[in-house]
Amino acid sequence: MGGALALGLAASAAVVGGGTALAASGGSGDSKALSAMAGSRTRDITLVTGDRVAVTTTASGRDVLAVRPASHAAGAGAFASFQDGSGDRYVIPASALPYVGRQLDLSLFDVSALVKDPSAADRVPVTVSFTAAAGSSPTAPAGLTLTSTTPAPAGAPAGRGVSAGGYATAGSGRQLARLLKQRIGADVKAGRRPGSTPLFQQVASVRRAATTGTSGTTGSAGTAADALRGATSDGYKLDILTLDAEDRSGAGATGEVLLTNTDDASVFAAVLPVVDGVEKVAVPDGHYSAAMLVPTYDAAGAVTAQSLVTRSDLTVSGATTEDLDARTATAAVTAATPRPAVADYLSANWARVDATGQTPVSYAPTASVTSTDGTPVYVNPQPAAAVGAVGYDAQWSGHAPDAGDYRYDLDSAASDEVSADQQIHVTSGQLAAVAARYDRDPASPADGQVTSGELTQNAPASFSAIATQTMPARVTDYLSTFNGGDWLQESFTGDLVFIGERSVLAGHGYSVDWARGPLALGLGQYPDTIPFGDCEACVAGGDLLAFLETTDSDAGHVGDPSVYADASPVDQAGLYRDGTLLDSEDGPGVYAEGQDTPGGRYRLVADRDAGAEPNVSQSTSSHTELTFGLPSAADTGSVLPANLSCAGQSDSTPCLILPLLTAHDDLATDGTGTSHRTDQRMGLEIGHVAYQGAGSRAAITSAAVQVSFDDGRTWQKASVTGSAGHYQAHWTNPAAARGTNPSIRVSATDADGNTLSQTVMHAYTVATTTS
């Protein structure tokens, strides 16, 4: 089949029962502009049900999702997810599945489209189509706010009334979530199929309103079905595939099914609605796979279980009928851990690679079920694929009973089949032990969140386990290493999220501090991989870009302000060459072209003011100054690794990492940045920004620390010992400083004359009593 016809079939959605088939397409991002760095590394979006999804992009361009449910009620943490042939990822609360493709359009849950909409951090733009007669005043459905109305056009078909624009927020979306639960509970209690009762009265559909800069479908394309039921315009024959689906009781299931042509996924890879247990679709003859997510509900409307039902191989030749039966999903995702643990996250992730082999498992059409509250997950055993390949893995996370000080984050070995044994068996020798310390600002809420997800190109999982974590805390996190041991982890604390990517080995121990201050604008060292693909301090072809992040005591972390902060920090940056201003930005980064003349001396100045944030009482502001020269083209040690990129890069112009100094402080305080000692100590690590070992090799020649107990009016020198970038600072917290927040200034130089000066105001707190 020719490529044009293949894409045409996918785009025109040959769906008899109605649905959305998405054409293969790709997006692109410009890593050469400062704006590419301006967005948060972890972008948060709100679903129409009030649930939130944190999306982190890795260096390979892969999006890793962490779903944050709006409610802690039983079953509220159950979600279904699909990635279609276009690469768009959908996340659907299990309680919404019976209404998706009916009154709730699939586009409402297109995370890939929502993440491109700046407003989606706190609201979802929607369009509501009503069935009420023209001239009537529409009533806003539960959970939605209407902002405009449009009358039905003259001659509109019967049943089509006015439409309205509006939005849902995280808060209002909870009203919709409660309504979904009530409707489903009433149906179950009355013996009806879940979703039989209309969600809204006189509403035909609610869909995501397209906004500038977004993509993705916003409605059904089923009207093309009649034209494609027999043959395409070029005579290529289609046949009807009927999918029969049953829930765990044997009744007809309603939900979404992922159907993929396994000869060539670009021919057809669609998310289709199954209504009352049946979906019919016109497709070309060939080989296919199918995956459906089937929840089970109780009489209160709560999700009590989820089933991922898959068929690795289906053959369509003429009219064909195939079955998807949740009763065959008998294998429960569980784990056997060396120490007792209670499940708080479960996920089953299934991907289908076609016979062309051109798409890696992590980017193939994918179906997943996730449970952020331990709701059981079941799968049906399936053999390895006869055409193409299956990629499957399961995730299981659990915490120690009785709020103990350890947890497990496990990812099963990636497999080409769905085994009948879904218990993840792990021994102590197969685990890495990470001693994690979680700090927080005294003014921030005690309840934070942590996420963990193992990354590998051989497994389909694109979800991080997420768990609520009371902070401050010390927790040993046992990580599995079946898929290489490369873990993306995040800590959400107060108004900040810190991201780290770490490679671990089985049987080894590690330690990591999260959000440990003082916090300031700066850069770090990233010895393994980084959770993004662009260099933040490089020059190539005369294009110089430097973008500073929030740094904590761990040089491998990247920190970002949360988009949910009540007030965001105010950042400003400027770049000078030999005293002449090159660039000034409202943000923590600078960019300048034409910087290819050696010999100049640069000064980068970056300021942050977080004093207006209600969750911030420490590190309220920082001032960072970096001076540096351009790296030499002969400095092969400063060449950016080939898997990363930078502005100005070309085949003949490599990226050179700027010799910017970095400072990471390990202040002797408790988990809230409070010192209880008169004799104050602070570890100090000075280095250069580095990516996977590449960066300046210039020796660190000096470091100094000053402390101010009067908001920066006067400064006292601290005693500093050590050498070669590794230092210890000592000073005295006087009795007069008890109950106050002293400030700290760090300065350093290297053998090439590059310098750092960093001042953090209100860097820590001195307790009211010290010893």
Side-chain angles (χ1 to χ4, degrees):
M1 177 181 291
L5 177 57
L7 291 177
L9 286 174
S12 51
V15 183
V16 173
T20 305
L22 300 174
S25 64
S28 63
D30 182 5
S31 65
K32 297 181 180 180
L34 181 62
S35 59
M37 297 288 184
S40 173
R41 298 303 173 203
T42 292
R43 296 147 294 162
D44 291 87
I45 61 98
T46 301
L47 297 180
V48 71
T49 51
D51 306 291
R52 288 167 169 165
V53 183
V55 183
T56 301
T57 303
T58 67
S60 66
R62 181 178 181 182
D63 286 339
V64 179
L65 279 55
V67 184
R68 306 162 73 181
S71 169
H72 296 296
F79 294 85
S81 179
F82 296 98
Q83 180 172 287
D84 62 29
S86 74
D88 272 20
R89 168 70 68 175
Y90 300 85
V91 175
I92 309 169
S95 60
L97 274 172
Y99 293 98
V100 175
R102 299 168 65 204
Q103 287 184 297
L104 299 180
D105 192 81
L106 182 62
S107 62
L108 291 169
F109 307 99
D110 187 345
V111 171
S112 300
L114 286 167
V115 81
K116 299 172 186 175
D117 179 3
S119 70
D122 57 10
R123 61 174 56 189
V124 182
V126 300
T127 299
V128 184
S129 296
F130 292 89
T131 58
S136 62
S137 299
T139 301
L144 305 180
T145 298
L146 301 184
T147 57
S148 63
T149 59
T150 303
R160 179 176 174 183
V162 299
S163 63
Y167 61 88
T169 66
S172 69
R174 296 188 182 99
Q175 300 177 36
L176 174 57
R178 288 193 293 269
L179 179 61
L180 286 163
K181 187 175 180 179
Q182 292 168 5
R183 292 284 192 265
I184 291 173
D187 284 339
V188 172
K189 191 173 183 179
R192 299 186 295 264
R193 174 187 48 77
S196 296
T197 304
L199 183 61
F200 307 119
Q201 298 299 317
Q202 297 186 328
V203 172
S205 70
V206 180
R207 65 185 186 276
R208 181 181 62 83
T211 57
T212 302
T214 65
S215 64
T217 59
T218 58
S220 171
T223 55
D226 290 341
L228 293 173
R229 182 173 286 116
T232 65
S233 59
D234 15 6
Y236 195 88
K237 186 175 182 298
L238 301 178
D239 284 306
I240 300 299
L241 170 63
T242 300
L243 296 172
D244 293 332
E246 296 83 30
D247 62 21
R248 296 185 73 85
S249 71
T254 293
E256 303 292 310
V257 62
L258 174 68
L259 183 67
T260 304
N261 184 296
T262 56
D263 299 313
D264 185 347
S266 68
V267 171
F268 197 96
V271 181
L272 310 171
V274 177
V275 179
D276 294 337
V278 178
E279 168 63 327
K280 293 186 177 183
V281 55
V283 294
D285 287 357
H287 301 99
Y288 289 82
S289 67
M292 185 171 178
L293 316 177
V294 185
T296 302
Y297 308 95
D298 64 16
V303 180
T304 58
Q306 291 189 94
S307 300
L308 172 60
V309 186
T310 62
R311 293 286 303 275
S312 296
D313 293 289
L314 305 173
T315 300
V316 176
S317 180
T320 304
T321 299
E322 296 288 352
D323 194 42
L324 293 168
D325 191 342
R327 291 170 295 183
T328 64
T330 56
V333 175
T334 60
T337 55
R339 302 170 70 181
V342 179
D344 53 32
Y345 181 88
L346 305 170
S347 182
N349 310 285
W350 181 90
R352 196 62 170 87
V353 179
D354 64 24
T356 69
Q358 297 177 2
T359 304
V361 171
S362 56
Y363 292 95
T366 305
S368 301
V369 289
T370 64
S371 167
T372 65
D373 57 7
T375 301
V377 169
Y378 298 90
V379 298
N380 63 311
Q382 284 286 284
V387 178
V390 164
Y392 175 81
D393 74 337
Q395 296 168 266
W396 187 96
S397 294
H399 59 272
D402 303 321
D405 60 354
Y406 65 88
R407 63 175 291 104
Y408 290 91
D409 285 302
L410 310 178
D411 193 356
S412 71
S415 175
D416 62 356
E417 65 175 357
V418 183
S419 170
D421 181 6
Q422 286 297 309
Q423 185 173 68
I424 302 175
H425 303 268
V426 63
T427 65
S428 297
Q430 295 172 312
L431 296 168
V434 179
R437 170 175 169 162
Y438 300 101
D439 283 15
R440 68 172 176 88
D441 190 295
S444 70
D447 285 341
Q449 291 177 314
V450 296
T451 75
S452 296
E454 191 176 18
L455 303 175
T456 173
Q457 292 299 312
N458 297 320
S462 58
F463 284 91
S464 284
I466 188 165
T468 298
Q469 176 63 60
T470 300
M471 299 177 183
R474 294 176 182 266
V475 178
T476 299
D477 192 0
Y478 295 103
L479 304 177
S480 63
T481 57
F482 297 122
N483 297 307
D486 182 17
W487 284 82
L488 180 73
Q489 295 188 298
E490 297 171 285
S491 170
F492 295 82
T493 174
D495 290 339
L496 289 171
V497 53
F498 285 94
I499 313 166
E501 195 168 336
R502 175 187 296 271
S503 293
V504 297
L505 298 174
H508 288 241
Y510 306 85
S511 62
V512 59
D513 292 344
W514 293 94
R516 185 166 175 77
L519 309 179
L521 288 175
L523 290 157
Q525 294 91 42
Y526 311 102
D528 299 315
T529 52
I530 55 176
F532 43 90
D534 298 329
C535 176
E536 294 188 305
C538 275
V539 62
D543 290 354
L544 186 156
L545 184 146
F547 192 92
L548 306 189
E549 303 278 7
T550 308
T551 59
D552 63 3
S553 62
D554 191 303
H557 288 169
V558 172
D560 273 323
S562 170
V563 296
Y564 297 120
D566 292 330
S568 299
V570 178
D571 296 332
Q572 290 184 317
L575 178 68
Y576 301 80
R577 176 182 168 120
D578 298 326
T580 300
L581 180 65
L582 300 178
D583 185 36
S584 178
E585 299 285 347
D586 290 331
V590 291
Y591 176 77
E593 298 176 334
Q595 305 309 306
D596 49 9
T597 304
R601 295 299 299 174
Y602 293 83
R603 182 167 67 99
L604 169 60
V605 181
D607 289 284
R608 164 162 291 178
D609 183 357
E613 296 183 75
N615 292 331
V616 174
S617 65
Q618 298 169 343
S619 301
T620 53
S621 65
S622 69
H623 176 79
T624 303
E625 292 197 22
L626 299 164
T627 68
F628 60 98
L630 296 181
S632 167
D635 182 5
T636 57
S638 292
V639 176
L640 188 71
N643 62 319
L644 304 175
S645 61
C646 76
Q649 181 182 15
S650 68
D651 291 341
S652 59
T653 307
C655 298
L656 297 176
I657 302 170
L658 296 173
L660 301 183
L661 288 173
T662 62
H664 295 273
D665 311 327
D666 187 3
L667 191 63
T669 59
D670 66 12
T672 62
T674 302
S675 173
H676 299 267
R677 298 180 60 87
T678 301
D679 179 21
Q680 185 63 55
R681 302 185 307 275
M682 185 178 79
L684 176 61
E685 295 292 317
I686 302 294
H688 294 90
V689 60
Y691 298 97
Q692 300 169 20
S696 174
R697 303 293 198 278
I700 305 301
T701 55
S702 70
V705 176
Q706 296 174 291
V707 184
S708 175
F709 297 100
D710 56 8
D711 287 335
R713 289 186 292 274
T714 61
W715 294 88
Q716 303 176 19
K717 288 185 178 180
S719 172
V720 177
T721 58
S723 62
H726 309 287
Y727 302 96
Q728 280 283 336
H730 299 263
W731 64 88
T732 298
N733 289 319
R738 292 173 182 171
T740 69
N741 296 325
S743 304
I744 295 175
R745 176 178 292 158
V746 171
S747 58
T749 60
D750 70 8
D752 290 342
N754 304 310
T755 68
L756 172 146
S757 176
Q758 188 173 81
T759 302
V760 181
M761 302 302 294
H762 298 172
Y764 68 107
T765 301
V766 180
T768 54
T769 58
T770 59
S771 60

